[in-house]
């Protein structure tokens, strides 16, 4: 009888310790510097053409990303000081955006959510993402070039 009670107590203690550890681990959510490796690359918005026939691009590097329309105005938005957090299967990137010097040389905060499916990349603002996720996404989809 004593062995039976000791066995039950051992099982109960093991369950309590196991549940206690698993609850603490699932609460962790951290910010990381740079851009996630899964998103890095050179993407093109093929469905968007301006009057000159050029296509906007987005290039995600290790510690920054660039959104550009290269011809004729050379409009670029360079986002630096990036940190990211994974939210389920999505990535939330926060950083400082600098517009090209021809427009305005001033920084503003950028808070975007990215989702990559195969070679396609979707992105939207975090405020829009909070409201509807990507379920009713009406934005443009970029395609991986390299």
């Amino acid at each position: 009888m004593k062995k039976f009670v000791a066995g039950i107590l051992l099982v109960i203690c093991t369950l309590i310790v196991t549940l206690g550890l698993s609850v603490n681990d699932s609460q962790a959510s951290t910010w990381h510097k740079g851009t996630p490796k899964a998103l890095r690359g050179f993407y093109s918005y093929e469905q968007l053409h301006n009057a000159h026939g050029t296509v906007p691009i987005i290039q995600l590097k290790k510690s920054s990303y660039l959104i550009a329309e290269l011809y004729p105005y050379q409009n670029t938005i360079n986002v630096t000081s990036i940190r990211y957090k994974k939210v389920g299967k999505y990535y939330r990137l926060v950083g400082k955006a600098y517009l090209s010097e021809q427009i305005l040389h001033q920084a503003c905060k950028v808070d975007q959510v990215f989702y990559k499916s195969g070679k396609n990349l979707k992105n939207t603002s975090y405020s829009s993402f909070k409201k509807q996720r990507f379920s009713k996404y009406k934005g443009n989809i970029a395609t991986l070039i390299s």
Side-chain angles (χ1 to χ4, degrees):
M1 181 73 168
K2 289 183 181 180
K3 288 184 180 181
F4 180 72
V5 172
I8 291 176
L9 287 175
L10 181 64
V11 169
I12 291 172
C13 289
T14 304
L15 286 173
I16 290 172
V17 170
T18 305
L19 290 175
L21 291 176
S22 66
V23 168
N24 290 338
D25 291 341
S26 65
Q27 299 287 334
S29 139
T30 59
W31 288 90
H32 307 282
K33 287 186 178 180
T35 60
K37 287 182 183 178
L39 297 180
R40 292 181 195 160
F42 191 77
Y43 299 88
S44 167
Y45 291 100
E46 286 295 327
Q47 69 274 22
L48 295 177
H49 293 279
N50 66 10
H52 300 280
T54 59
V55 178
I57 54 113
I58 181 168
Q59 182 179 19
L60 286 106
K61 300 177 185 175
K62 183 177 180 180
S63 59
S64 67
Y65 69 91
L66 176 77
I67 301 170
E69 184 179 289
L70 301 176
Y71 181 81
Y73 304 112
Q74 298 180 348
N75 296 334
T76 60
I77 300 172
N78 192 18
V79 183
T80 59
S81 304
I82 297 176
R83 55 193 176 99
Y84 75 93
K85 177 165 107 171
K86 189 162 185 182
V87 182
K89 59 183 177 180
Y90 310 107
Y91 292 96
R92 179 180 177 193
L93 278 72
V94 177
K96 291 182 183 174
Y98 295 93
L99 300 173
S100 64
E101 291 182 14
Q102 292 122 353
I103 300 172
L104 180 68
H105 192 67
Q106 188 175 7
C108 57
K109 184 180 175 185
V110 175
D111 194 353
Q112 294 270 310
V113 176
F114 288 84
Y115 171 63
K116 185 175 179 186
S117 174
K119 291 186 173 189
N120 295 328
L121 181 74
K122 298 178 183 180
N123 66 311
T124 188
S125 67
Y126 182 67
S127 60
S128 173
F129 175 77
K130 283 194 311 186
K131 292 177 188 170
Q132 61 189 8
R133 301 260 170 178
F134 282 103
S135 61
K136 298 177 183 174
Y137 185 69
K138 294 189 173 108
N140 299 303
I141 299 171
T143 306
L144 182 66
I145 296 173
S146 62

